Amino acid sequence: MSSSFSTPLEDSLKKLPPDQALRLADELIRSGESKTNKSEILRFMAFINLKYLKDYEKALEYSLESLIEDERKNNRNGILQNRRNLAEIYLEVNDFLQHRDQWRKILEHANDQNDFELRAEAYFVLAQSEVRLENQGNALDFYYEALRIYEELSKKGKEALVHAHISYLWIRMNEEEQAQKYMELAVRNLQHGENSYDRAMTIFKKAQFHQYRRQYDAAKRDFERAKTLFEAGRNVEDLTKCYLQLGRVYFELNDNKKALNEWQQGLKIAGKSGNRRDLRQFYDQLFGYYVKQNDAAKALAYKNLFVQINELINSEESINELIQLENKFEIKKKENEIGLLLKDKEINELQLQRQQTRLIFTFSLSGLLLVFLVIGGYYYRDKVKSKKELENLNTKLQELNDTKDKFFSIIGHDLKGPLNSLSSFTHLLSNHSEHLSKEEIKKLSADIDHSLKNLKNLLNNLLEWARSQTGGLVMSPEKLDILPRISGVKETLAGQAAEKQINLEIHGKPDIYAHADPNAFDTVIRNLVSNAIKYTPESNKIAIHFWKKGDYIQVSVKDSGIGMPEKVQESLFKIDKVQSREGTSKEKGTGLGLILCKELVELNDGRIYFESKEGEGSTFFTEWKSA
């Protein structure tokens, strides 16, 4: 495809080691000596964070800042490169819609500039985006448009590459005849490839075509050819895919020794490159391989590696999802800044025209002068009004950004925690159950049960909190007998306490009544006791006290746990600062439970507070109206 644009400054920085280049670029920005090439330096900093540091949030930040600078200078090449960088960032975090949107803007640029090769590249990449979004019809349309342009440009190698992608898409849609047709066209043009990467990728797609049709000998030959080309071009990511697929092909051909060798070699490369998704696939393959070889020790080792890397990947994906959500606010903010910049430019041009007009009519009638002054005032007022509207919009967006952060974090990370575990365990059961022992199946089933319970509790809290935030949670207070209600909570959490051999004690007199919503009361006490269990070491106790205090009923939950440092105490009950801590048995937490407790207690005209000392435990107090 078309090569990316870069300036001499960017090229010079790229020759330095990444850390050194990043420090130098940062110094140039801070020193203020980079005003003329600020956008280039920011673009380079985005490149380093994207390619080497894998810090996609910073890469996004620098790309957007660079984009604003290039929009201000109307630097079309810089704008194009920033669009490419943004598209690649979104692809890395699996935000395929934003990736597609950036390439649509690149396509607009190509159309404006009559850049046919860039236009073909844009159509080709857009087709791949549609494949990822499972829009096969749109993908074919874009592939055909790219193919038409490459044919007009007589780019035979590119034609072969597009033919191979079209063929593989048709075979996945179970259209054998169309797939065969386009694969033959790809083979016909393959020898005319302009560069080795296009040839390698075309051959790789051809190998996938044969693999899909279970033509394993042909697939083996093409994967080997593609592997040789990828090795020569040092295309690590594609090379690992070759090793992975070759291992699968050899395994289907019952050549276990070669299959194992391919997977082990690919695992080494994936380990060096740090590509966790590739590592996950190799761990899964090797787990299945050793299960079938009845090598329990190695199978267990790779099973554990698979589960660990899977949880890590899912955690990263959750964080990236949060970044995606934050990006939408950040992009809107930057677009507003760009819009304000363009508005200023437009108003300045109008003011310039006004000044020219006033010079021409300096000696005209005073009435005309007054008219122009009024018009000038109108334009000035319009400028101030436009700025104020955009500033207000930015302020509102920032407020939304601040309030949503924790909620998105919970949904994007903590809610997916139990789901991630379920995904790992059910994957192992569904793919390797026939080779697992009864004890292993029993253990996996227990893990699944535990994850489901965590998921249920978290979903309940999420739904209750969301309803409280949207005004959909209506309190229906009634007279509550405290002792049986707390006893019910104790019974509900007995299993959780028993797992850690924790004794739940209730201290209070009968016939003490509160005026509160029963569901809210139960939810609050259940969350407080569940938290106490989480942060109390094994073989300890938790005491629940209740008593009448003036016009209120006070309920306290006292644990003998780890307590809280001052920093954590300061963040309690604050949605934008809440911190999640692991329990004494590595239990996961979200911090949402206490937020929900505060909301529910206050909706019942009560209050909640706590006492805690690090290393000695915590006591949470709630006050409810007396009935």
Side-chain angles (χ1 to χ4, degrees):
M1 303 302 168
S2 300
S3 59
S4 299
F5 166 84
S6 61
T7 66
L9 174 61
E10 290 174 83
D11 290 336
S12 298
L13 288 170
K14 287 177 184 178
K15 292 177 182 178
L16 299 173
D19 290 345
Q20 182 182 342
L22 197 59
R23 283 196 302 272
L24 177 58
D26 188 53
E27 288 172 6
L28 288 171
I29 291 290
R30 291 175 182 276
S31 68
E33 297 177 3
S34 58
K35 292 182 179 179
T36 58
N37 48 22
K38 183 178 179 181
S39 63
E40 301 171 31
I41 297 172
L42 288 167
R43 193 160 55 244
F44 170 77
M45 294 170 80
F47 170 82
I48 292 294
N49 279 280
L50 172 63
K51 293 292 187 180
Y52 296 101
L53 304 181
K54 307 296 182 183
D55 189 335
Y56 304 121
E57 193 169 6
K58 281 190 177 295
L60 175 73
E61 178 187 342
Y62 290 133
S63 291
L64 288 171
E65 291 294 336
S66 178
L67 180 61
I68 288 176
E69 289 294 320
D70 285 324
E71 289 280 7
R72 182 178 289 115
K73 295 185 292 187
N74 196 27
N75 179 5
R76 301 187 70 86
N77 284 330
I79 293 169
L80 172 61
Q81 186 56 41
N82 280 312
R83 294 292 182 198
R84 285 181 178 273
N85 289 343
L86 286 168
E88 192 167 350
I89 293 166
Y90 293 129
L91 184 60
E92 288 292 338
V93 298
N94 294 329
D95 190 344
F96 303 133
L97 289 172
Q98 287 285 355
H99 174 263
R100 182 181 65 182
D101 288 346
Q102 293 302 320
W103 272 99
R104 283 176 173 171
K105 291 174 181 176
I106 292 173
L107 178 60
E108 291 175 6
H109 174 92
N111 289 333
D112 290 342
Q113 299 297 305
N114 287 323
D115 187 334
F116 292 100
E117 191 163 354
L118 178 59
R119 188 183 299 172
E121 179 188 5
Y123 279 124
F124 181 80
V125 177
L126 283 169
Q128 293 175 303
S129 287
E130 296 294 349
V131 170
R132 295 185 187 99
L133 293 168
E134 298 184 359
N135 298 326
Q136 285 89 348
N138 291 344
L140 284 172
D141 289 342
F142 285 132
Y143 276 138
Y144 289 141
E145 195 61 34
L147 184 60
R148 180 187 63 79
I149 297 172
Y150 283 134
E151 286 173 346
E152 291 178 358
L153 295 172
S154 297
K155 298 280 188 178
K156 295 295 183 182
K158 300 293 186 187
E159 290 178 44
L161 182 61
V162 180
H163 282 138
H165 277 79
I166 293 173
S167 173
Y168 187 62
L169 183 54
W170 278 122
I171 197 70
R172 289 177 58 191
M173 295 166 65
N174 296 314
E175 294 288 345
E176 291 268 349
E177 187 175 341
Q178 288 288 341
Q180 184 64 40
K181 168 187 170 183
Y182 280 95
M183 186 51 67
E184 289 173 358
L185 290 170
V187 172
R188 188 183 307 165
N189 290 316
L190 182 60
Q191 59 182 332
H192 302 292
E194 286 84 7
N195 64 62
S196 60
Y197 180 78
D198 287 346
R199 286 177 55 81
M201 187 52 69
T202 303
I203 294 168
F204 181 82
K205 282 293 174 184
K206 183 166 170 274
Q208 284 186 305
F209 169 83
H210 291 306
Q211 184 183 23
Y212 197 90
R213 300 178 74 179
R214 301 181 185 278
Q215 299 167 339
Y216 296 120
D217 285 322
K220 177 185 68 175
R221 288 193 298 271
D222 284 329
F223 278 131
E224 289 285 6
R225 290 175 62 198
K227 186 174 76 170
T228 300
L229 290 171
F230 285 136
E231 283 176 336
R234 298 183 179 180
N235 305 109
V236 175
E237 185 176 347
D238 298 301
L239 181 59
T240 54
K241 289 181 173 61
C242 273
Y243 277 111
L244 181 68
Q245 299 303 333
L246 261 174
R248 290 172 176 171
V249 168
Y250 280 121
F251 196 72
E252 292 293 340
L253 292 170
N254 295 316
D255 194 337
N256 293 339
K257 186 177 180 180
K258 286 189 176 180
L260 179 61
N261 180 64
E262 295 295 333
W263 287 331
Q264 288 176 335
Q265 291 298 317
L267 181 60
K268 288 180 183 178
I269 296 173
K272 289 179 181 178
S273 68
N275 190 315
R276 294 189 178 98
R277 290 176 180 80
D278 286 340
L279 285 171
R280 176 173 58 182
Q281 293 192 78
F282 284 113
Y283 290 150
D284 186 37
Q285 293 292 161
L286 289 165
F287 166 69
Y289 174 84
Y290 283 115
V291 165
K292 291 181 180 179
Q293 299 298 315
N294 294 317
D295 190 333
K298 289 185 178 179
L300 180 61
Y302 281 111
K303 173 228 169 183
N304 290 335
L305 287 170
F306 171 82
V307 171
Q308 291 169 15
I309 200 77
N310 195 52
E311 289 182 353
L312 180 58
I313 290 169
N314 286 324
S315 176
E316 287 179 340
E317 287 176 349
S318 300
I319 293 169
N320 287 337
E321 286 175 10
L322 175 59
I323 292 173
Q324 292 170 25
L325 292 166
E326 291 174 340
N327 286 348
K328 293 175 183 178
F329 286 85
E330 187 68 19
I331 289 168
K332 187 66 178 176
K333 180 180 177 182
K334 297 301 182 185
E335 286 176 349
N336 286 336
E337 290 181 25
I338 293 171
L340 180 60
L341 176 68
L342 297 176
K343 187 71 175 177
D344 281 342
K345 184 178 179 182
E346 178 184 346
I347 293 171
N348 288 335
E349 289 174 354
L350 287 171
Q351 288 178 326
L352 179 61
Q353 292 174 9
R354 185 196 64 188
Q355 291 170 1
Q356 292 173 342
T357 304
R358 288 175 62 186
L359 287 173
I360 294 172
F361 292 96
T362 300
F363 302 103
S364 298
L365 295 174
S366 59
L368 282 175
L369 179 59
L370 180 61
V371 169
F372 283 116
L373 288 172
V374 170
I375 292 173
Y378 171 78
Y379 283 134
Y380 177 75
R381 186 180 64 185
D382 183 56
K383 176 181 179 180
V384 172
K385 183 180 178 182
S386 298
K387 277 188 174 181
K388 189 172 182 180
E389 288 175 352
L390 288 168
E391 287 170 357
N392 288 339
L393 181 57
N394 281 337
T395 300
K396 289 178 181 178
L397 286 171
Q398 186 59 47
E399 289 173 357
L400 287 171
N401 189 58
D402 292 339
T403 57
K404 75 178 173 50
D405 280 349
K406 180 58 185 175
F407 188 63
F408 283 151
S409 176
I410 293 164
I411 293 175
H413 181 265
D414 299 304
L415 178 58
K416 287 186 69 177
L419 288 173
N420 294 341
S421 297
L422 283 173
S423 175
S424 299
F425 297 137
T426 55
H427 173 89
L428 295 173
L429 280 175
S430 62
N431 288 279
H432 309 291
S433 58
E434 69 275 15
H435 302 289
L436 297 172
S437 68
K438 288 184 179 180
E439 287 300 317
E440 288 173 322
I441 292 174
K442 185 178 179 180
K443 176 67 168 60
L444 286 172
S445 299
D447 290 335
I448 290 172
D449 180 64
H450 182 70
S451 294
L452 281 171
K453 288 177 180 176
N454 287 341
L455 180 61
K456 180 183 176 182
N457 290 335
L458 180 54
L459 276 173
N460 286 336
N461 282 346
L462 272 174
L463 292 172
E464 291 293 304
W465 184 77
R467 288 171 63 198
S468 74
Q469 294 300 296
T470 57
L473 190 60
V474 179
M475 295 292 103
S476 300
E478 59 185 69
K479 186 177 181 179
L480 304 180
D481 192 344
I482 299 300
L483 181 56
R485 297 215 75 88
I486 292 179
S487 297
V489 171
K490 176 182 176 181
E491 185 178 345
T492 300
L493 298 175
Q496 182 183 345
E499 288 179 2
K500 298 177 72 173
Q501 298 177 318
I502 291 173
N503 185 34
L504 299 179
E505 300 177 352
I506 300 177
H507 302 276
K509 297 179 180 180
D511 302 323
I512 293 180
Y513 300 93
H515 184 70
D517 181 274
N519 291 327
F521 182 88
D522 290 350
T523 299
V524 170
I525 304 305
R526 186 174 62 247
N527 268 285
L528 293 178
V529 176
S530 180
N531 271 357
I533 294 171
K534 185 188 304 177
Y535 297 115
T536 296
E538 293 184 358
S539 303
N540 275 277
K541 70 176 183 178
I542 293 168
I544 308 167
H545 294 263
F546 63 94
W547 64 96
K548 193 172 188 305
K549 183 181 179 182
D551 294 331
Y552 288 87
I553 303 301
Q554 192 150 29
V555 181
S556 70
V557 178
K558 178 179 176 61
D559 64 48
S560 48
I562 58 178
M564 294 179 285
E566 290 186 6
K567 184 177 180 181
V568 173
Q569 293 183 38
E570 291 170 0
S571 72
L572 289 186
F573 307 127
K574 297 177 182 178
I575 189 65
D576 58 332
K577 295 182 180 179
V578 69
Q579 299 180 22
S580 174
R581 302 172 70 205
E582 279 192 343
T584 55
S585 295
K586 304 298 182 183
E587 299 100 324
K588 302 294 184 183
T590 66
L592 181 63
L594 289 176
I595 302 295
L596 177 61
C597 288
K598 184 175 185 294
E599 295 278 350
L600 294 177
V601 170
E602 292 178 351
L603 284 170
N604 282 273
D605 298 322
R607 73 182 183 115
I608 183 171
Y609 59 98
F610 66 92
E611 296 174 356
S612 183
K613 189 171 182 181
E614 190 171 9
E616 295 184 9
S618 304
T619 303
F620 280 83
F621 301 87
T622 60
E623 291 183 353
W624 310 82
K625 279 187 174 181
S626 178

